[in-house]
Amino acid sequence: MRQRLSSEPDRYRGRRRVPTPPRSRYAVVVTSAFVGAGVVALGAASNLPDNKAVDPDVLQSLSKSSSITTDALENRTGDKAASRGENRKANTQLSAEEAAKDLYLLPLDEYEFTSPFGVRFGKLHAGIDLAAPDGTPYKAVHGGTVTAAGYAGGYGYSITIRQNDGTEIIYAHSRRLLVQKGDKVKAGQVIGEVGNTGYSYGTHLHLEVHVKGTPIDPITFLDERGVSIKLQLESVYAGIPADDAS
């Protein structure tokens, strides 16, 4: 049997597949290769006899190509960063808008609580009364759509605002109304002025809350939503001897 001489070259030795660089890096790699080749050519030529000068326009062209490719990649990165910044800003604005939709506020900054929700004189007093000077501006407790604005019998000049979930809030006995039916209002927007119109015993804001058409205690409703009506109740028996209070 013929033995292969050790000096016979191994045709398969050292043969391997070179990994292909990602396409995103292709432009940079090719450009860098050209520039590197130019530099190597210069170095090699300097050691050769009768070396010829390299055309400066060629080197300038290679350098310019490298600069253009690098700038393009940086601009692309900058565009992505700007896009991410704009997305964060949009999300922040969206969060603020969502928070505003759930905002509840007091209708008056200063007032005196004069009457609670409940039976009074044999009839249901379906809201609470907040006394304030005539003409004091009052605000929307929550955002919604004005479904009624005008004179309404015992309510006097009143406003009804319906929220997205169907809950209605009524503001009654106003001296003047600053919104009209169909208006969209936001929490904290001034919508009217405290008055003494309709069946009213004094200048005050009568506030009612109706959930699914049924009036409920505004104090409980607002308290569950983080708004506290500071009660300033005075006992009807104040100053009356205990024996006469029966």
Side-chain angles (χ1 to χ4, degrees):
M1 178 181 294
R2 181 182 175 183
Q3 294 182 350
R4 188 177 63 176
L5 298 178
S6 59
S7 59
E8 183 180 351
D10 187 351
R11 290 177 298 176
Y12 301 95
R13 181 175 298 170
R15 182 176 295 180
R16 61 188 179 86
R17 178 171 296 181
V18 179
T20 303
R23 291 189 178 182
S24 60
R25 301 181 183 176
Y26 185 76
V28 177
V29 172
V30 171
T31 304
S32 300
F34 277 122
V35 175
V39 174
V40 172
L42 282 176
S46 64
N47 295 323
L48 293 176
D50 300 328
N51 58 315
K52 296 181 179 180
V54 179
D55 188 349
D57 293 338
V58 175
L59 290 179
Q60 185 176 1
S61 177
L62 290 174
S63 177
K64 184 177 181 180
S65 298
S66 176
S67 177
I68 292 174
T69 303
T70 302
D71 291 344
L73 291 175
E74 289 178 351
N75 290 337
R76 184 176 64 181
T77 303
D79 291 342
K80 289 182 178 179
S83 178
R84 288 194 296 268
E86 292 174 355
N87 289 338
R88 285 196 295 269
K89 183 177 180 181
N91 290 336
T92 301
Q93 292 176 345
L94 183 61
S95 299
E97 292 176 358
E98 291 298 327
K101 292 180 180 179
D102 294 331
L103 183 64
Y104 283 84
L105 299 170
L106 289 171
L108 292 164
D109 295 327
E110 296 184 5
Y111 59 86
E112 179 183 357
F113 184 90
T114 56
S115 185
F117 174 90
V119 178
R120 187 177 67 178
F121 306 123
K123 294 183 179 181
L124 175 64
H125 182 239
I128 58 175
D129 295 339
L130 307 175
D134 187 55
T136 301
Y138 62 81
K139 300 168 289 187
V141 170
H142 189 69
T145 302
V146 179
T147 56
Y151 198 89
Y155 285 100
Y157 286 105
S158 65
I159 300 170
T160 301
I161 297 178
R162 178 177 297 165
Q163 301 173 185
N164 291 335
D165 63 357
T167 299
E168 292 182 320
I169 299 182
I170 301 173
Y171 309 78
H173 306 312
S174 308
R175 183 180 79 168
R176 188 160 71 106
L177 308 180
L178 302 178
V179 294
Q180 57 186 357
K181 183 177 180 179
D183 287 351
K184 302 285 186 181
V185 300
K186 297 180 180 180
Q189 178 178 334
V190 175
I191 57 176
E193 296 177 355
V194 173
N196 190 28
T197 59
Y199 300 151
S200 172
Y201 57 84
T203 304
H204 70 285
L205 173 66
H206 175 82
L207 188 71
E208 286 188 20
V209 176
H210 292 197
V211 176
K212 296 181 180 180
T214 302
I216 64 172
D217 190 347
I219 293 178
T220 302
F221 177 85
L222 293 176
D223 187 66
E224 291 174 350
R225 288 155 180 79
V227 178
S228 175
I229 299 288
K230 297 179 180 179
L231 302 181
Q232 299 178 10
L233 297 176
E234 294 182 1
S235 172
V236 294
Y237 300 111
I240 300 179
D243 294 341
D244 297 333
S246 59

